[in-house]
Amino acid sequence: MRNVSQKLLLGICGVILAAVLPAFSQVTNVVSKPAGMVRIVIPANSDVLVALPFNAFSPGIHSVFSNQLTGATNEISADKVSQWDINLQEYKNAHKADLTGDPDKDGKWFVDFTGWSTSTLEFYPGQGFWIRNNQSTTQTVFLSGTLVIDASMSNSFVNGFTLFSYPFSSALKINNSQMYTNGAYADSTSSNADAIHSWDRDLQNYIHYGLKDSDGKWLFATNWAGSAVEDFMEI
């Protein structure tokens, strides 16, 4: 197991460019298909921005979070998963129910606890999402699946906000990505260029990158006259 610092990238531009990076990874070999796992530590009463850098064995929320996190009889106490809908430009939430006394509800995920509509959220490489721990103690979530071994992957961005993750299971430098050649907007000023805002979980603040038009490289927005960054999109 390789322990690396968890850095979560949320990009904002005319569209949003982002990469969400889990903290721990482990690789095994399962019938010739390499598989992996990430361990996400979620402090008490807090939100964590995460990603699934694998092809989930089954992408639905009831499988991905099977027997994980804590349910309740009300939305305030129940743990929550939130996924950004780029078309509606709003979050879709799923709340975990428990202790209701109804076996058709306990342990399952719902859009809300009023209409009790079953959540249909699914998770794929290239997506970022939030997990809300509404409990008074730290919880740990394990996410697993087969490694992404595609030669390339693409994400579509709308004119608005998009929450997305680095879609591969291995590290890549930001400036080795093909975002610039595939349409990310570069400018001579950091305020007009497409941007990546990287949430550093350890420092609890954002690191800001901008795409400069002079060479098509990502730079620190706070050091626009500096050199291209060497930072990784790492797992």
Side-chain angles (χ1 to χ4, degrees), residues 61-104:
I61 188 170
H62 303 279
S63 297
V64 172
F65 292 100
S66 176
N67 299 314
Q68 301 195 84
L69 297 171
T70 304
T73 58
N74 61 83
E75 295 176 21
I76 295 177
S77 302
D79 289 344
K80 179 177 68 174
V81 176
S82 300
Q83 189 180 72
W84 182 253
D85 187 305
I86 62 172
N87 295 314
L88 298 176
Q89 288 290 288
E90 64 183 26
Y91 279 105
K92 288 185 175 180
N93 300 316
H95 310 267
K96 185 172 183 178
D98 204 1
L99 304 176
T100 68
D102 185 340
D104 292 328

Side-chain angles (χ1 to χ4, degrees), residues 121 174 176 190 204 221 226:
L121 292 184
I174 294 174
N176 285 347
S190 60
Q204 290 290 290

Side-chain angles (χ1 to χ4, degrees), residues 19-187:
V20 183
L21 314 169
F24 303 89
S25 67
Q26 181 175 4
V27 177
T28 59
N29 187 28
V30 181
V31 193
S32 78
K33 284 189 175 182
M37 176 193 71
V38 291
R39 180 168 69 92
I40 311 292
V41 177
I42 311 173
N45 299 305
S46 66
D47 300 273
V48 174
L49 181 60
V50 300
L52 181 64
F54 310 115
N55 292 303
F57 299 115
S58 180
I61 188 170
H62 303 279
S63 297
V64 172
F65 292 100
S66 176
N67 299 314
Q68 301 195 84
L69 297 171
T70 304
T73 58
N74 61 83
E75 295 176 21
I76 295 177
S77 302
D79 289 344
K80 179 177 68 174
V81 176
S82 300
Q83 189 180 72
W84 182 253
D85 187 305
I86 62 172
N87 295 314
L88 298 176
Q89 288 290 288
E90 64 183 26
Y91 279 105
K92 288 185 175 180
N93 300 316
H95 310 267
K96 185 172 183 178
D98 204 1
L99 304 176
T100 68
D102 185 340
D104 292 328
K105 295 178 180 177
D106 289 346
K108 298 180 175 63
W109 294 85
F110 296 89
V111 174
D112 57 52
F113 288 178
T114 303
W116 293 100
S117 296
T118 302
S119 174
T120 58
L121 292 184
E122 294 185 340
F123 304 91
Y124 298 95
Q127 297 176 332
F129 55 94
W130 292 93
I131 300 176
R132 171 68 186 180
N133 175 8
N134 276 320
Q135 314 311 309
S136 59
T137 57
T138 296
Q139 296 189 81
T140 301
V141 169
F142 295 90
L143 304 177
S144 61
T146 58
L147 298 186
V148 179
I149 57 176
D150 305 62
S152 64
M153 294 186 70
S154 62
N155 256 328
S156 297
F157 301 102
V158 300
N159 183 14
F161 294 94
T162 300
L163 177 59
F164 79 98
S165 73
Y166 175 58
F168 296 101
S169 304
S170 58
L172 177 76
K173 286 186 177 181
I174 294 174
N175 273 310
N176 285 347
S177 71
Q178 297 181 9
M179 288 184 282
Y180 174 60
T181 57
N182 283 287
Y185 177 72
D187 198 89

